[in-house]
Amino acid sequence: MPIFVHQNKVIVSQINKLKIFNDPIYGFITIPNALIYDLVQHPYFQRLRRISQMGLSYLVYPGANHTRFHHALGCMHLMQKAVEVLRFKGVSISPEEENALYIAILLHDIGHGPFSHAMERSIVEDVHHEEISLLFMNQLNVEFNGQLNLAIQIFKGEYDRKFMLQLISSQLDMDRMDYLKRDSFYSGVAEGNVNSERLIQMMNVVDDFLVIEEKGIYSVEKFLMSRRLMYWQAYLHKTSLVAELILMKVLKRAKELTLKGVQLPCSEPLLFFMQNKITMENFDTTTLDLFSQLDDFDIISALKAWQRQDDFILSSLSKMIVNRDLLKIKLTSEKVSLEEMQPLKERFAAENNITLLETNYFIFKGKIKNQAYSKEAEPIRILKKDRTVEDVIESSDQLNLKSLSKLVTKYYICFPKQLVEMNI
């Protein structure tokens, strides 16, 4: 390994930092420079190896055990391809902008907590992973002496070249292209397999906006249809959904008990978030450091220990996830009324000696939404042969694309399996 000594410090040669990852989706992914290598090596980023990309979906699809680490590297690889294509078509991208794009897409998901979304809806008070990602990026920027300035500017949408933000966050960005292809591969849901290489080859920039050349419109249509199918078959699969809902209820109950003075076995970082009300206002550097120590293993270890707690609610819900013996979930096109739920709650409360209020941990309702393409968001623009630009919905000759822009809502009710015979 090439090394040299400078002022009594052993310094690894930058050449040794140009690593290659072997990825099952794209083949070889290259680390383009020493700064990217150092960011990948940082403990904040290495934590993503221990954060599941698809949450608890492995309870449905046993192969879906890939991580946010996989996904982030895949996104950076696609960004490298996008920069190459755009430069080939005459779009000016400076070396500084190129590097900033790689950093921004690499770190776009660094703020995800254990099992991806369960934390931000339970023991952290409405602090979204995008906000935590920005906190991590700001902290890394301090550690790397301001080398992330431009990446943060692009990530926040404050840079004057709009298409760069679209490459990172839009309805056809590197993030979506990678997670659809990757999640499809690992889950085995073939309908999600998108042709990201073709989509990137069709990219261009007109008036500072990202566009797709007209001959790529069928790839865009396939992309949108794949996204819709992946949401129904994987991300919003009813078993994945009920498992995540139970996990949120477990964490909520654990926090409730902890705040009442009950001592629950768990890791120190997890205990901190259960003992304190954390909002964006008090998410300081100490909190960020503790958050950076949290991953899926903290939650799984806690669930295994909580199975043996005296509290009926915490114990029962923890067992459900550990043993994959989940609540029953039913999806309907109609709203479930409170009147329909009342007899279920009364019976379950009586059978298990808990209050009606406590039955909300076991019997609850809600709704899920799926919209493959939003007319309100920044549109996917198609560059036609006459050099005019229009929304993909208008360019497409597929009637089903118009239907994909409609918001589809489904309602659900969750309840213990022993109540199935009550004909809900």
Side-chain angles (χ1 to χ4, degrees), residues 113-171:
F115 293 106
S116 294
H117 293 285
M119 278 281 291
E120 62 193 71
R121 298 175 193 162
S122 50
I123 61 175
V124 176
E125 308 288 327
D126 295 321
V127 182
H128 298 290
H129 70 270
E130 292 94 345
E131 296 171 303
I132 301 174
S133 291
L134 192 54
L135 292 174
F136 274 124
M137 289 170 78
N138 286 328
Q139 182 60 33
L140 287 167
N141 197 30
V142 172
E143 293 182 28
F144 284 87
N145 302 314
Q147 292 183 81
L148 278 68
N149 280 334
L150 185 53
I152 292 170
Q153 219 180 330
I154 294 171
F155 185 80
K156 291 167 72 175
E158 294 174 353
Y159 193 54
D160 57 6
R161 305 192 75 184
K162 298 183 186 70
F163 78 91
M164 293 193 173
L165 176 62
Q166 289 178 289
L167 288 168
I168 295 160
S169 178
S170 68
Q171 298 202 74

Side-chain angles (χ1 to χ4, degrees), residues 334-346:
E334 304 289 329
K335 282 186 180 180
V336 181
S337 69
L338 292 171
E339 290 72 26
E340 291 176 81
M341 296 171 65
Q342 195 61 23
L344 300 175
K345 291 188 170 189
E346 289 172 0

Side-chain angles (χ1 to χ4, degrees), residues 62-80:
N65 277 303
H66 56 302
T67 66
R68 292 273 161 191
F69 184 87
H70 283 138
H71 168 58
L73 289 174
C75 289
M76 185 191 68
H77 173 76
L78 293 183
M79 187 66 82
Q80 288 173 300

